[in-house]
Amino acid sequence: MKLLSKLSLARGASLLQVSTIGLFNVYEVAQMSAQGLPGKTIGLLLAIENGLLLVSGALWGWVADRYGCYRQLVMGSALVLAFTLFWLSSAESVFNFTVYAVLRGVSMTAMMTVMPALAMANLKELGPGKSYSKYRVFGSIGFMIGTAILPIFFDSITSILRAASLILPFSLIFIMGLENPELEEKSVELSKKSKVLPAVVWWYLAANFIVSFTEPGNLGFLNDYVIGLGGSPKLIGWYSGMTGFIALISLPLMGKWVDARGVKWVIVFGFLSQVLRPLSISLIPDPNWLWASHVFHFFGWAGREVGSIVFMTMLLGERRRAVAVSLVVTIRTAGVMVGSYFMGTWADAVGYQLMFQRVFFVACLSLPLLYIALRKSDARD
């Protein structure tokens, strides 16, 4: 009964968190554009924001593991992000949006990286795969609620963001019921050793960085391609909703399979699916059939998401679970940033079809790196 209670608490927190903070990605550019900011300025603000996300992710992971303050960091992040949602809803000038970019860049990762580690620490009896997937699937439900339900009740971006800013603090009720993991006593020698990342971690992070290069094409650039081929905005909405539905099914299954059959084969299928995804898009000329590329979302997103976090936690140990999650999130963010730049450049230069094929060839480079990482992890076992 106690375990069920912890699971319910983690799920409630995830649902409220993702249903609200997920709106940043949905509306931040639209809000900036509505206030008359030019594209160049918006790009600079997003660069500042993402640069801070990269730095702060590793920082908050280290702080959580070093001092055992997982719950406090997540609670503080929730309060700051609630204020940030309200600030974004009221921002009008470049200065206001710069403050927004800094606030989000510094505080967002405390929730993105530490919350999964906190949930896994409270649900470890379920097994690493199930503990993550069973809690995280409610985040996907929350995202669908935030993006589909809130706009029904509120008719402007400003109103939607302000409503979200009032909803997010209620996640504190659930977070307060979770427990920080116990700090282990460590000798000075062990403490110094723990700061060094083993070579296998670097190989895996390099593979994950390259395959994350593909992610901007899963929705953003894909949706623009659909429009270019004559598809409708309604079709784009259906495609976007389809990924959320797939996540609801695939996340629990991936968690079960990781625990029952081992994490490595799930990771392999995840990487292969993500590599093949842009190639499949380039080979489908009919916008009404591009939904077929989302079949790869099953392993390419859910399998790689669950597998990467469990695998990195295995490599670094539970004592550094927050650092493990933060490294996965940070490297993925870096890959998305680089991928976004090159996809936009290539789409303008050669068109979407060839752009997706180039992305496929780049993503293929992740496979030999993944092979080396998995071989090195076998040697450590």
Side-chain angles (χ1 to χ4, degrees):
M1 188 69 180
K2 184 178 179 181
L3 180 62
L4 178 62
S5 176
K6 295 294 184 185
L7 178 58
S8 299
L9 291 170
R11 283 174 162 177
S14 180
L15 188 147
L16 291 178
Q17 289 166 358
V18 181
S19 68
T20 52
I21 65 173
L23 300 179
F24 284 125
N25 286 335
V26 176
Y27 293 120
E28 62 180 357
V29 173
Q31 184 74 343
M32 293 176 187
S33 180
Q35 298 303 321
L37 271 64
K40 184 177 180 180
T41 302
I42 293 175
L44 178 60
L45 289 169
L46 294 181
I48 293 172
E49 178 184 307
N50 284 285
L52 289 171
L53 287 171
L54 289 176
V55 175
S56 63
L59 172 64
W60 294 130
W62 177 83
V63 170
D65 286 336
R66 176 67 177 82
Y67 299 102
C69 53
Y70 290 59
R71 185 177 58 193
Q72 291 85 345
L73 283 174
V74 176
M75 291 174 66
S77 175
L79 291 174
V80 175
L81 288 172
F83 174 76
T84 305
L85 281 164
F86 182 82
W87 185 275
L88 177 61
S89 74
S90 306
E92 296 179 349
S93 65
V94 173
F95 173 78
N96 292 154
F97 284 112
T98 301
V99 172
Y100 157 75
V102 172
L103 285 172
R104 188 189 175 209
V106 170
S107 60
M108 184 82 164
T109 48
M111 186 174 289
M112 291 169 58
T113 64
V114 181
M115 183 62 207
L118 177 63
M120 292 174 72
N122 279 265
L123 305 173
K124 57 184 178 182
E125 291 87 351
L126 290 174
K130 288 182 182 178
S131 66
Y132 178 75
S133 62
K134 280 182 174 292
Y135 123 84
R136 179 59 181 82
V137 70
F138 272 67
S140 296
I141 295 173
F143 182 75
M144 296 175 69
I145 291 173
T147 55
I149 303 300
L150 283 181
I152 295 176
F153 295 98
F154 303 98
D155 58 1
S156 69
I157 293 176
T158 296
S159 299
I160 291 171
L161 293 173
R162 289 182 179 176
S165 73
L166 296 176
I167 293 170
L168 179 55
F170 285 98
S171 68
L172 298 180
I173 298 172
F174 299 97
I175 299 167
M176 285 189 292
L178 301 175
E179 299 175 358
N180 285 325
E182 294 183 6
L183 282 175
E184 298 180 15
E185 293 294 330
K186 303 184 285 291
S187 66
V188 175
E189 181 180 353
L190 182 59
S191 180
K192 290 181 179 179
K193 184 179 179 181
S194 69
K195 295 178 182 178
V196 180
L197 296 179
V200 59
V201 170
W202 292 109
W203 283 106
Y204 185 73
L205 289 177
N208 208 26
F209 169 78
I210 293 177
V211 82
S212 296
F213 187 98
T214 64
E215 291 195 19
N218 295 346
L219 284 176
F221 286 102
L222 171 65
N223 289 343
D224 193 41
Y225 184 43
V226 170
I227 293 294
L229 291 175
S232 65
K234 184 178 179 181
L235 188 62
I236 288 175
W238 184 71
Y239 284 173
S240 300
M242 185 179 180
T243 62
F245 178 72
I246 291 174
L248 293 181
I249 299 173
S250 58
L251 274 170
L253 287 176
M254 291 299 107
K256 290 180 181 179
W257 291 346
V258 162
D259 291 337
R261 305 179 185 181
V263 68
K264 293 177 183 177
W265 78 270
V266 173
I267 289 176
V268 169
F269 276 99
F271 270 71
L272 287 173
S273 296
Q274 194 64 18
V275 167
L276 291 172
R277 194 168 182 172
L279 179 63
S280 71
I281 294 172
S282 74
L283 298 177
I284 301 174
D286 187 343
N288 296 302
W289 283 93
L290 279 169
W291 61 266
S293 66
H294 285 332
V295 171
F296 293 104
H297 198 67
F298 195 92
F299 276 100
W301 182 77
R304 195 162 53 88
E305 174 86 0
V306 177
S308 292
I309 289 176
V310 172
F311 186 57
M312 285 291 290
T313 303
M314 289 170 51
L315 293 176
L316 295 180
E318 290 190 356
R319 232 176 351 97
R320 292 193 285 173
R321 59 169 66 86
V323 168
V325 176
S326 69
L327 287 173
V328 172
V329 172
T330 299
I331 290 300
R332 184 174 63 216
T333 301
V336 170
M337 285 177 60
V338 176
S340 296
Y341 172 78
F342 279 101
M343 284 190 190
T345 302
W346 289 342
D348 287 342
V350 299
Y352 273 115
Q353 187 176 35
L354 288 178
M355 178 274 280
F356 280 115
Q357 290 176 3
R358 288 186 180 184
V359 171
F360 160 71
F361 286 115
V362 171
C364 285
L365 299 177
S366 69
L367 298 180
L369 297 176
L370 177 65
Y371 174 78
I372 294 172
L374 295 180
R375 285 293 300 270
K376 286 186 174 292
S377 70
D378 288 337
R380 285 165 53 90
D381 294 340

